[in-house]
C-alpha cells in the first residue's frame, strides 16, 4: 500500500514539474524577441593591377586558296607577337589560339556552296603594365602598318588582391551594421550585445557610380577603376 502511495506522489510531482516547465517555455516563447536585425553595407573604389588584351585577326581566302590563307594568317600572328616583344611584352605573356576557317557564302552563289573562307586566329596577353598595353591596344594603326587586320580587340581589367579587399569590406560592412543597430537600440533605451547571426550578400564589382546589381554578383572587367560593394544582414541581441 505504501509503495502504491509513493508511486502516486512521484507521479503527481512529475506532472507538476512538467506543467511548470511547459508554462515557462510557453511564456518565454510568447515574449517579444529581444533582437535587432539590420543590414550593413560598404563600398570601396580600387584600381585594377592586371590587364588582359584579347585580339582576333582575320584573312579572307578564295575557295581554292585555303592553304595560302593559312600561311598568311600565320605570318600575321608572327608579326603581332614580334610587335609585342618589340614593345616590352614577353613571349611568355602571350597565348596564341588555334586557327579556324569558316566558309563564306555569297548571295550570288547557287546551290549553297561556299564562295571562300574567313580565316581567324585569336590571341591574348596578360600584363601588369597597364599603361603600356593600353597604349598598344588603343593604337590600331600599329597593327595596320604591318598588314594585320583585326576582327575584334578587347581589354579586360582584373585585381590580384581582391581576396584581401573582400575581407576588409566584410569588416567594414559589419561595423556599419553595428552602428545602425546601436542607433536603433539607443532610441528604445536598450543596447546591443553579441551577434546572434550574420548572412553575407554577394559582392558587386562594377564600374564607378553604377547602380547595376545581380543576385549572383557582378564582376565588371570593362573598366580600369571599379567599385566593390557588399552587404551583410546581421541579427544582434539587445539588453
Amino acid at each position: 500500500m505504501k509503495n502504491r502511495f509513493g508511486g502516486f506522489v512521484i507521479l503527481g510531482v512529475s506532472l507538476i514539474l512538467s506543467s511548470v516547465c511547459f508554462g515557462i517555455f510557453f511564456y518565454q516563447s510568447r515574449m517579444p524577441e529581444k533582437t535587432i536585425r539590420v543590414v550593413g553595407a560598404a563600398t570601396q573604389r580600387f584600381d585594377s593591377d592586371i590587364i588582359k588584351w584579347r585580339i582576333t585577326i582575320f584573312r579572307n581566302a578564295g575557295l581554292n586558296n585555303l592553304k595560302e590563307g593559312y600561311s598568311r594568317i600565320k605570318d600575321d600572328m608572327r608579326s603581332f607577337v614580334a610587335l609585342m616583344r618589340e614593345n616590352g611584352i614577353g613571349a611568355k605573356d602571350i597565348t596564341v589560339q588555334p586557327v579556324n576557317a569558316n566558309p563564306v557564302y555569297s548571295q550570288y552563289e547557287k546551290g549553297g556552296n561556299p564562295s571562300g573562307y574567313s580565316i581567324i586566329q585569336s590571341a591574348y596577353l596578360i600584363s601588369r603594365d597597364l599603361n603600356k598595353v593600353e597604349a598598344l591596344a588603343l593604337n590600331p594603326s600599329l597593327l595596320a602598318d604591318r598588314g594585320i587586320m583585326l576582327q575584334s580587340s578587347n581589354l579586360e581589367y582584373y585585381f590580384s588582391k581582391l581576396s584581401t579587399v573582400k575581407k576588409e569590406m566584410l569588416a567594414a560592412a559589419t561595423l556599419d551594421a553595428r552602428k545602425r543597430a546601436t542607433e536603433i537600440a539607443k532610441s528604445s533605451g536598450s543596447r546591443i550585445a553579441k551577434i546572434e547571426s550574420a548572412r553575407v550578400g554577394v559582392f558587386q564589382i562594377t564600374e564607378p557610380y553604377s547602380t547595376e546589381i545581380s543576385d549572383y554578383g557582378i564582376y565588371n572587367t570593362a573598366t580600369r577603376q571599379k567599385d566593390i560593394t557588399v552587404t551583410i544582414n546581421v541579427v544582434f541581441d539587445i539588453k
Side-chain angles (χ1 to χ4, degrees), residues 43-110:
T43 300
Q44 181 177 325
R45 184 161 297 170
F46 65 91
D47 287 317
S48 304
D49 61 356
I50 296 175
I51 191 169
K52 187 175 186 178
W53 183 20
R54 295 179 181 271
I55 63 108
T56 299
I57 61 178
F58 78 97
R59 283 282 181 178
N60 291 321
L63 195 59
N64 299 314
N65 296 317
L66 185 58
K67 185 176 180 180
E68 180 184 348
Y70 281 139
S71 178
R72 295 180 69 182
I73 201 83
K74 183 178 180 179
D75 291 340
D76 289 342
M77 186 55 72
R78 283 178 177 172
S79 184
F80 172 78
V81 173
L83 177 62
M84 295 301 103
R85 298 190 66 177
E86 290 169 13
N87 284 274
I89 305 297
K92 62 180 179 59
D93 299 324
I94 305 170
T95 300
V96 178
Q97 303 292 323
V99 177
N100 288 287
N102 301 313
V104 176
Y105 296 90
S106 171
Q107 60 179 332
Y108 303 107
E109 288 289 333
K110 296 181 179 180

Side-chain angles (χ1 to χ4, degrees), residues 5-6 61 83 103 117 122 180 191 193 215 217 219:
F5 179 76
L83 177 62
Y117 296 94
S122 299
R180 293 169 186 259
R191 59 188 179 88
D215 292 340
Y219 194 144

Side-chain angles (χ1 to χ4, degrees), residues 99-141:
V99 177
N100 288 287
N102 301 313
V104 176
Y105 296 90
S106 171
Q107 60 179 332
Y108 303 107
E109 288 289 333
K110 296 181 179 180
N113 296 318
S115 58
Y117 296 94
S118 174
I119 305 173
I120 62 173
Q121 187 170 23
S122 299
Y124 66 85
L125 61 88
I126 299 174
S127 173
R128 290 184 178 271
D129 195 334
L130 278 69
N131 293 331
K132 180 183 293 183
V133 175
E134 283 181 337
L136 292 167
L138 300 177
N139 188 6
S141 61

